[in-house]
């Protein structure tokens, strides 16, 4: 099952902590967004493998934009 990870805020990508193909556990930090000078961690909602990253550092992001796709572990 593919799970889309969406932004909860408007801002920009400050740092990406994972790569495509990486195994992640639920709660692992995938990336950090910056919004109004605050750092907001984006965590994996499920355990699995990062199937795709749709943003890169310094990219602007909108609220509800898909940031990553995780192929959930069975």
């Amino acid at each position: 099952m593919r799970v889309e990870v969406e932004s909860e805020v408007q801002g920009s990508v400050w740092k990406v902590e994972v790569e495509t193909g990486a195994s992640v556990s639920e709660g692992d930090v995938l990336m950090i967004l910056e919004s109004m000078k605050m750092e907001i961690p984006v965590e994996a909602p499920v355990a699995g493998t990062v199937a795709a990253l749709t943003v890169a550092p310094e990219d602007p992001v909108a609220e509800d934009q898909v940031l990553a796709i995780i192929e959930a572990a069975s």
Side-chain angles (χ1 to χ4, degrees), residues 12-32:
S12 62
V13 179
W14 181 63
K15 188 177 188 182
V16 177
E17 298 282 354
V18 296
E19 296 179 355
T20 300
S23 293
V24 294
S25 298
E26 183 177 343
D28 283 357
V29 175
L30 304 176
M31 63 189 68
I32 300 171

Side-chain angles (χ1 to χ4, degrees), residues 38-57:
M38 293 177 55
E39 294 175 10
I40 300 148
V42 177
E43 298 178 350
V46 296
T49 303
V50 178
L53 293 169
T54 60
V55 294

